[in-house]
């Protein structure tokens, strides 16, 4: 999955196909016409209320895709003043299995070097090496 360029209409279509749901059935559940549904499925973005409906009907968290995009491409910056120790662990365990698999796939296919991944996604070097050691068996 390409977390950088998200086309939500395509992702919704893929989920519909995997569940074998017809456009007419989904449009009836969403309370719109087939023509409107086809327009939504071709759209690169969808209103958050509509996306929430898709999540419920198709039983899939499409918002997670955007969260993963933020983790990879807009990592949080460290706070300027650390008030207490709990603030230091803000980013702990933020990497989902999907993100780990995405990063490891980049390494496996040699699309990016380890150094490029560390720099571009701001993943600590030790974390990347731990993933490779743990998941590449």
């Amino acid at each position: 999955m390409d977390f950088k360029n998200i086309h939500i209409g395509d992702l919704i279509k893929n989920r519909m196909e995997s569940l074998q749901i017809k456009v007419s059935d989904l449009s009836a559940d969403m309370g719109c016409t087939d023509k409107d549904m086809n327009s939504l499925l071709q759209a690169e973005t969808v209103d958050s209320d509509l996306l929430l409906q898709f999540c419920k009907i198709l039983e899939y968290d499409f918002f997670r895709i955007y969260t993963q995009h933020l983790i990879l491409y807009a990592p949080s910056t460290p706070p300027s003043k650390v008030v207490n120790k709990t603030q230091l662990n803000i980013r702990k365990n933020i990497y989902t299995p999907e993100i780990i698999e995405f990063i490891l796939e980049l390494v496996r296919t040699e699309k990016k070097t380890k150094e490029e991944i560390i720099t571009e996604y701001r993943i600590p070097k030790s974390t990347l090496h731990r993933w490779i050691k743990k998941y590449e068996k």
Side-chain angles (χ1 to χ4, degrees):
M1 174 174 294
D2 182 8
F3 290 110
K4 190 167 189 171
N5 303 308
I6 300 169
H7 191 291
I8 199 66
D10 287 342
L11 297 172
I12 292 169
K13 268 192 267 188
N14 291 342
R15 180 65 179 170
M16 288 173 57
E17 289 170 4
S18 70
L19 296 175
Q20 299 177 343
I21 294 177
K22 298 176 186 170
V23 172
S24 58
D25 294 336
L26 187 58
S27 60
D29 287 342
M30 299 276 292
C32 63
T33 65
D34 289 357
K35 182 180 177 185
D36 291 337
M37 182 57 63
N38 284 322
S39 295
L40 286 171
L41 295 176
Q42 293 175 3
E44 191 171 334
T45 62
V46 174
D47 183 62
S48 59
D49 289 337
L50 290 172
L51 189 58
L52 183 60
Q53 283 184 293
F54 281 119
C55 290
K56 290 176 182 177
I57 292 170
L58 299 175
E59 297 176 352
Y60 186 83
D61 184 4
F62 291 103
F63 290 101
R64 178 176 287 192
I65 296 163
Y66 291 104
T67 303
Q68 292 169 346
H69 171 90
L70 289 173
I71 291 168
L72 290 172
Y73 298 101
S76 62
T77 56
S80 58
K81 281 187 169 181
V82 177
V83 177
N84 59 39
K85 186 179 177 187
T86 58
Q87 286 183 328
L88 293 174
N89 296 326
I90 292 173
R91 291 181 51 97
K92 188 173 183 174
N93 298 328
I94 63 166
Y95 302 108
T96 64
E98 292 89 354
I99 288 179
I100 294 170
E101 180 58 33
F102 172 75
I103 296 296
L104 291 176
E105 185 66 24
L106 291 176
V107 172
R108 242 188 325 270
T109 59
E110 298 178 354
K111 288 183 180 176
K112 292 190 185 270
T113 65
K114 293 175 189 175
E115 290 76 24
E116 289 173 327
I117 291 170
I118 291 165
T119 304
E120 186 174 342
Y121 302 120
R122 298 183 193 161
I123 294 173
K125 184 177 183 179
S126 59
T127 302
L128 179 60
H129 289 288
R130 193 175 328 113
W131 291 348
I132 293 169
K133 187 175 180 181
K134 183 176 181 181
Y135 297 106
E136 292 295 310
K137 293 182 178 179

